[in-house]
Amino acid sequence: MLPKYEIIKQDIIEKINTGEFETGTKIYSEGELKRIYGVSNTTVVRALQDLVLEGYLIRRQGEGTYVRRNLRHKKVYFDELGPFIKRKSEETIKEATEKTITKFYRSVLQKEIAKKLNLKEDASLTQIVQIAMIDDLIWKIQIRYVSDEMLTDDMIVQLQSGGSLSEEYKKKSQLKQLPMNQEIKFSVVANESDVLNLIPEEMLYVDWALNLPIVKFNKTYFDNHKKAIEFSTTLIHYKHYAIKIEYEGI
């Protein structure tokens, strides 16, 4: 079950996202929140302070709490376009076949990855390698790491059957949204040897040229206590990724 302060936070964020609390408007007072949720002042203060730090709210001494006018969490819609699975021939457009090869390696030791997950350097990790293909073309390589204890057999079954590991995390932590930090950069295969050396067996079947442009994602997922639960690196063939951004002005 979610901590009470987290329930308050998610409810306020939902009201901001739906427009019930508009930017610049005053929200509930601490006393009102205490009555609505039946919690202590300490719980209310923690929820509000978190929302201030995360850029949703601003507190004015003697006046109350307001939704930020220059809201850092404005609605920006990212539409990831890809893979582009249709190939054009001289006469027709043929639907290509997508498939993903998934491999699991238990009891992996990776000191740098363990640090990213705030674990001891000798922590036992599970490495999940996924190679996504269109016909015979590899368009995505993803390497994910979680602690051995975090990844249950049921999660492995779900992932092998095409399920989403992120959805499993949300179920486990009872979250509507899974907190995540993401870094995106553009690179070429030759510059990513430190990543690709982590999967020597799979790389025997990858025919990407060293000068191939790629899009690289580093992602860290967190539970409802802001503890890192997964770190992943994804490399995508440049021809199979694009992003469309729509901004909802306020």
Side-chain angles (χ1 to χ4, degrees):
M1 184 175 178
L2 284 176
K4 290 183 178 180
Y5 78 89
E6 192 67 38
I7 293 173
I8 297 173
K9 285 177 57 181
Q10 290 195 13
D11 285 352
I12 292 175
I13 291 171
E14 179 69 18
K15 291 180 186 298
I16 292 173
N17 289 338
T18 60
E20 184 172 343
F21 288 153
E22 297 181 353
T23 57
T25 59
K26 188 176 182 180
I27 70 163
Y28 301 129
S29 67
E30 290 183 14
E32 287 172 327
L33 287 171
K34 286 167 62 178
R35 288 193 298 271
I36 292 170
Y37 293 95
V39 297
S40 67
N41 189 66
T42 301
T43 299
V44 168
V45 169
R46 177 169 181 180
L48 294 177
Q49 286 179 339
D50 277 4
L51 290 170
V52 169
L53 291 173
E54 292 170 16
Y56 288 99
L57 304 177
I58 184 170
R59 308 195 74 185
R60 297 173 183 164
Q61 186 69 33
E63 295 183 31
T65 305
Y66 295 79
V67 180
R68 291 177 63 104
R69 287 190 181 277
N70 56 336
L71 188 64
R72 282 186 281 173
H73 294 267
K74 293 177 181 177
K75 287 186 178 179
V76 179
Y77 300 94
F78 291 83
D79 187 5
E80 292 183 305
L81 309 175
F84 306 123
I85 65 173
K86 294 194 174 185
R87 292 178 177 176
K88 189 172 183 179
S89 65
E90 293 181 358
E91 299 179 354
T92 185
I93 295 178
K94 176 176 74 73
E95 281 288 343
T97 301
E98 289 187 87
K99 65 178 179 180
T100 300
I101 299 170
T102 303
K103 292 188 177 181
F104 298 86
Y105 299 94
R106 290 282 198 177
S107 301
V108 172
L109 297 179
Q110 288 291 341
K111 293 182 179 180
E112 293 305 313
I113 303 297
K115 287 181 183 178
K116 294 178 185 295
L117 295 174
N118 295 317
L119 300 172
K120 295 180 179 179
E121 289 187 355
D122 60 352
S124 186
L125 306 175
T126 296
Q127 181 194 64
I128 308 166
V129 183
Q130 293 185 293
I131 307 292
M133 305 175 70
I134 302 171
D135 291 338
D136 296 324
L137 173 68
I138 294 174
W139 70 273
K140 181 174 73 172
I141 300 170
Q142 185 176 56
I143 311 170
R144 309 167 76 167
Y145 290 92
V146 299
S147 69
D148 276 347
E149 296 177 354
M150 178 67 190
L151 193 67
T152 65
D153 291 339
D154 287 342
M155 286 183 175
I156 292 176
V157 170
Q158 288 295 324
L159 192 58
Q160 288 176 324
S161 60
S164 167
L165 193 54
S166 298
E167 290 301 317
E168 294 301 310
Y169 291 152
K170 285 194 282 188
K171 290 178 186 177
K172 186 171 183 178
S173 297
Q174 296 182 309
L175 290 170
K176 294 179 182 178
Q177 301 294 329
L178 190 65
M180 181 263 289
N181 287 340
Q182 176 172 270
E183 175 190 58
I184 305 174
K185 76 172 189 176
F186 301 95
S187 184
V188 294
V189 171
N191 291 340
E192 302 304 327
S193 59
D194 58 331
V195 174
L196 299 174
N197 286 340
L198 297 172
I199 53 169
E201 181 178 335
E202 286 76 14
M203 285 307 297
L204 294 175
Y205 305 97
V206 177
D207 58 356
W208 287 357
L210 291 178
N211 63 347
L212 178 76
I214 55 175
V215 184
K216 178 181 179 180
F217 297 81
N218 282 332
K219 296 182 181 181
T220 305
Y221 289 100
F222 302 87
D223 64 13
N224 56 357
H225 299 293
K226 299 183 180 180
K227 180 182 181 300
I229 55 177
E230 178 190 307
F231 175 80
S232 70
T233 296
T234 303
L235 305 178
I236 298 179
H237 191 295
Y238 78 98
K239 288 185 177 180
H240 292 273
Y241 184 82
I243 189 166
K244 178 182 179 182
I245 301 175
E246 293 182 7
Y247 163 65
E248 185 177 283
I250 297 178

